Amino acid sequence: MKTTMTLAELGFEDSLQPSTQDTITEQTYQADQVEGLAKESLDFLAALAMPTVFRYLFPEVFKSIWSWLLSYVTKVRDFSQLAIGLPRGFGKTMLIKIFILYCILFTEKKFILIICGTQGKSNNIIADIMSMLSENNVRRVFGDWRLGAITDRQDLKRFGFRGRNIILMGAGAESDIRGITLENERPDVMIFDDIQTREDADSEVISNKIETWMVGTAMKAKSPMGCTFIFVANMYPTKHFLLRKLKSNSSRSKSSGSASKKWRALQSSDLRR
């Protein structure tokens, strides 16, 4: 079986001279070739899953973050805690959406929990990920997730796909997710995306409350078999910014529920050195 896709279908603009730009260039791949390229290349996967959105190759900063994430997510019996900081408007949430798609397509992860500042924001991320899975290019290569759909709510998707049952769940910051279990599974990927607002970062009381909930409630819901924790945030120049605490490996008494020294933090400034 062959999968034929044009450059336009993959989201790339034709780089030919103006006089020949109307020429349609086609590339014919075996389905397993497309799968291999999508697994190896962030740009190819993004073009495959978002052909109408993807227009430019990712910069090196994003590719470095991508490689960093992939180096941890395939580890077995691992509880890595990764923190990423990028300025607002840099597209970090888009990168995380593609990362979740990668986890579904290429890893053994089963239960991905997405936590945002509000329930609505986490629902929007889930909707975009399911849109990628429903893209014709993806369905032609990897199959149709809807054939194995069990639960199809805005905040919860459960479906059999790629030889395993997958759970994609969204929640708002400080929501009640203590001891969450679905299909006898606990989250093995937990993503905290912008759970602290700019206003929250100005307040020591609110920031400590969010941090205590994150570590004392949310992170304790992890799978005992391993869980990759990813904290993604804007970069605020405030004293009580959570990413600042994680990057400096701040550690207070266990009774406070604060972040431990296990977090590995990465910012765009670190990658430019």
Side-chain angles (χ1 to χ4, degrees):
M1 171 184 174
K2 289 190 176 182
T3 300
T4 303
M5 299 179 182
T6 65
L7 293 178
E9 283 181 310
L10 292 176
F12 293 103
E13 294 182 349
D14 199 339
S15 61
L16 298 177
Q17 296 299 319
S19 61
T20 60
Q21 279 191 347
D22 291 335
T23 303
I24 298 176
T25 303
E26 292 190 352
Q27 298 281 350
T28 302
Y29 300 94
Q30 295 285 350
D32 58 349
Q33 288 179 304
V34 176
E35 183 173 339
L37 288 169
K39 186 175 182 179
E40 294 171 6
S41 169
L42 168 61
D43 291 318
F44 195 94
L45 178 58
L48 191 73
M50 301 181 296
T52 62
V53 175
F54 185 78
R55 285 292 176 266
Y56 305 101
L57 301 181
F58 281 97
E60 290 305 314
V61 167
F62 278 77
K63 290 180 180 178
S64 296
I65 294 174
W66 181 257
S67 297
W68 188 62
L69 291 174
L70 297 194
S71 69
Y72 287 99
V73 75
T74 55
K75 291 185 176 181
V76 178
R77 189 70 176 164
D78 182 71
F79 297 89
S80 293
Q81 302 171 10
L82 312 175
I84 302 169
L86 288 172
R88 182 178 295 278
F90 269 49
K92 56 188 177 300
T93 299
M94 177 63 72
L95 184 70
I96 292 301
K97 293 173 187 175
I98 301 171
F99 172 75
I100 295 172
L101 176 66
Y102 181 96
C103 289
I104 294 172
L105 296 179
F106 301 117
T107 75
E108 297 300 317
K109 298 296 186 180
K110 297 179 180 179
F111 192 159
I112 303 170
L113 177 61
I114 305 163
I115 302 172
C116 298
T118 66
Q119 180 69 58
K121 289 180 179 179
S122 65
N123 290 352
N124 289 340
I125 290 178
I126 291 176
D128 286 345
I129 295 166
M130 303 315 293
S131 178
M132 293 181 195
L133 280 172
S134 300
E135 167 59 42
N136 286 336
N137 293 337
V138 175
R139 289 193 293 110
R140 287 159 62 186
V141 176
F142 299 97
D144 191 343
W145 70 271
R146 289 171 292 195
L147 297 178
I150 302 170
T151 303
D152 191 7
R153 299 195 328 234
Q154 284 187 323
D155 64 327
L156 177 64
K157 308 291 183 182
R158 296 166 57 225
F159 53 101
F161 189 64
R162 306 279 288 169
R164 67 196 193 281
N165 290 327
I166 296 172
I167 301 169
L168 191 58
M169 181 178 179
E174 299 186 78
S175 58
D176 184 13
I177 58 173
R178 189 184 304 272
I180 185 171
T181 303
L182 290 174
E183 297 181 10
N184 297 314
E185 299 284 353
R186 286 176 176 261
D188 50 12
V189 176
M190 201 176 295
I191 295 173
F192 301 90
D193 184 26
D194 279 344
I195 63 172
Q196 182 188 42
T197 66
R198 177 64 175 81
E199 293 73 23
D200 291 342
D202 288 328
S203 169
E204 180 179 7
V205 173
I206 296 177
S207 296
N208 287 343
K209 182 181 178 184
I210 294 173
E211 183 185 10
T212 298
W213 174 84
M214 181 179 76
V215 178
T217 298
M219 292 178 66
K220 289 187 181 298
K222 66 183 182 298
S223 167
M225 303 306 295
C227 183
T228 305
F229 301 95
I230 302 174
F231 180 92
V232 187
N234 292 313
M235 297 169 64
Y236 301 129
T238 64
K239 180 180 179 181
H240 307 297
F241 179 33
L242 286 182
L243 184 62
R244 185 187 299 276
K245 294 183 179 182
L246 301 181
K247 185 173 174 60
S248 63
N249 290 328
S250 65
S251 180
R252 297 197 295 272
S253 65
K254 292 183 179 180
S255 61
S256 68
S258 296
S260 69
K261 295 183 178 180
K262 296 179 181 179
W263 285 94
R264 298 173 175 87
L266 189 65
Q267 297 180 198
S268 55
S269 58
D270 299 324
L271 299 168
R272 292 195 295 267
R273 292 174 183 171

